[in-house]
Amino acid sequence: MAKVPAAVVAAGGLVGGYGVARWTRKRQLGGVVLAAAGVAAAQQWKQQAGGRAAGALTVTYVAAFAGSHPLAKKVGAWPAVFGVAGAVALASWAVSDRRG
């Protein structure tokens, strides 16, 4: 069975977390999705690129989540979420996934 790239897991966590929060109207449930994907991606990052890279990518993931909020006020919620998810996916691929 093929492993899902960490870039897809991380981007999916950001998009999925927002989607779950929006459609269920339960922000905490979206947070669970966001956190679970973040933990799964961080484990892959650590295996593929080491602890320092995993730490930096985890900070990037959390910063993207936080940054999507003010960005959403300028461009809209979904464009902001897709934008930060794409940025995290690109960072993940560049630092970790292309090595695997």
Side-chain angles (χ1 to χ4, degrees):
M1 184 163 156
K3 182 168 66 169
V4 177
V8 174
V9 174
L14 289 160
V15 173
Y18 175 68
V20 167
R22 181 168 180 153
W23 290 316
T24 65
R25 298 179 190 244
K26 295 182 188 218
R27 294 178 71 177
Q28 298 85 351
L29 192 54
V32 169
V33 172
L34 179 81
V39 168
Q43 288 175 339
Q44 281 187 261
W45 292 328
K46 187 173 181 184
Q47 287 176 344
Q48 292 174 327
R52 292 185 116 188
L57 288 167
T58 300
V59 167
T60 302
Y61 183 77
V62 173
F65 166 70
S68 69
H69 292 82
L71 183 59
K73 292 180 181 178
K74 297 187 182 300
V75 300
W78 281 112
V81 170
F82 285 129
V84 300
V88 168
L90 182 60
S92 176
W93 177 82
V95 173
S96 176
D97 290 336
R98 72 180 173 157
R99 296 175 184 217

